[in-house]
Amino acid sequence: MTTIPGCGWAQATFRCGRCGAQHTATTEADYLKAVGVHRDAHAVWDRLNAIERDGIASILAV
Ligand SMILES: [Zn+2]
């Protein structure tokens, strides 16, 4: 998470420790939403088999 001193919330980059996907948000709400969506995607991912994972990989690359 990165903020620019004096500007308050400026920008934050979420980087997933599991798949390495990155998402740069310009507002806190956007950041939290992106993280939530990504974690939900991983919850789904965990229930898929290897073949199905190939199909959902693009969803994680947000
Ligand atoms: Zn991830």
Side-chain angles (χ1 to χ4, degrees), residues 1-3 7-14 23-35:
M1 187 177 296
T2 301
T3 55
C7 295
W9 183 275
Q11 181 174 297
T13 300
F14 162 67
H23 178 83
T24 300
T26 52
T27 67
E28 185 171 8
D30 185 37
Y31 178 84
L32 294 176
K33 179 182 176 184
V35 173

Side-chain angles (χ1 to χ4, degrees), residues 27-59:
T27 67
E28 185 171 8
D30 185 37
Y31 178 84
L32 294 176
K33 179 182 176 184
V35 173
V37 169
H38 194 87
R39 286 178 177 165
D40 285 347
H42 270 298
V44 174
W45 176 282
D46 288 341
R47 294 196 294 269
L48 300 178
N49 64 37
I51 295 173
E52 291 171 322
R53 287 179 182 188
D54 287 339
I56 204 172
S58 60
I59 297 175

Side-chain angles (χ1 to χ4, degrees), residues 16 18-21 38 42 60:
C16 180
R18 293 185 59 182
C19 71
H38 194 87
H42 270 298
L60 290 171

